[in-house]
């Protein structure tokens, strides 16, 4: 984390408070589930990203009811994403913790 400037370090610290969990990583893109503004959300962060823009959120749920699902566009969330958010909200998620400091090459 010390390789980054002060703004990026503050962003990492703030983002780690979201208690993110890693769904999968593919080609430098980290798919995560996290809690922000009263909702479980699924989104993507990637190596080399501009961190000031934050997580690219594709879906959110405020309760375990699938009818509470919000998507950034039609078909943005799969049934698996809905189940991941429901498990996260239930506290039964077995996904590994995600550290925002593990993102490589972030820029401000």
């Amino acid at each position: 984390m010390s390789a980054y400037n002060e703004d990026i370090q503050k962003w990492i610290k703030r983002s780690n408070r979201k208690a993110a969990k890693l769904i999968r990583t593919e080609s430098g893109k980290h798919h995560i589930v996290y809690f922000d503004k009263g909702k479980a959300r699924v989104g993507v962060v990637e190596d080399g990203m501009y961190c000031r823009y934050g997580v690219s959120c594709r879906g959110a749920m405020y309760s375990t009811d699938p009818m509470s699902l919000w998507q950034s566009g039609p078909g943005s969330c799969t049934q698996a994403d809905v189940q991941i958010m429901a498990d996260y909200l239930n506290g039964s998620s077995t996904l590994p913790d995600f550290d925002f400091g593990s993102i490589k090459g972030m820029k401000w």
Side-chain angles (χ1 to χ4, degrees):
M1 189 163 101
S2 60
Y4 292 121
N5 73 30
E6 188 177 333
D7 289 326
I8 294 174
Q9 288 181 23
K10 286 179 183 176
W11 181 83
I12 291 169
K13 186 176 181 181
R14 247 187 345 267
S15 296
N16 278 336
R17 290 188 204 128
K18 296 177 182 180
K21 299 211 175 265
L22 180 65
I23 299 169
R24 69 182 179 280
T25 297
E26 52 190 33
S27 304
K29 291 187 178 190
H30 311 283
H31 296 261
I32 59 174
V33 60
Y34 60 101
F35 194 79
D36 191 32
K37 297 178 183 159
K39 298 177 184 171
R41 299 170 184 265
V42 287
V44 177
V45 291
E46 58 187 284
D47 293 344
M49 69 181 273
Y50 283 92
C51 63
R52 65 179 174 255
Y53 299 124
V55 180
S56 177
C57 178
R58 68 175 180 270
M61 291 173 57
Y62 61 84
S63 78
T64 57
D65 181 2
M67 296 304 289
S68 73
L69 175 67
W70 167 86
Q71 301 181 79
S72 61
S76 295
C77 289
T78 64
Q79 183 63 40
D81 289 331
V82 172
Q83 188 60 51
I84 287 168
M85 286 187 280
D87 289 346
Y88 185 88
L89 287 167
N90 280 335
S92 62
S93 177
T94 59
L95 296 170
D97 291 340
F98 179 75
D99 178 7
F100 284 84
S102 67
I103 302 168
K104 298 175 186 161
M106 281 187 285
K107 304 173 208 108
W108 185 252

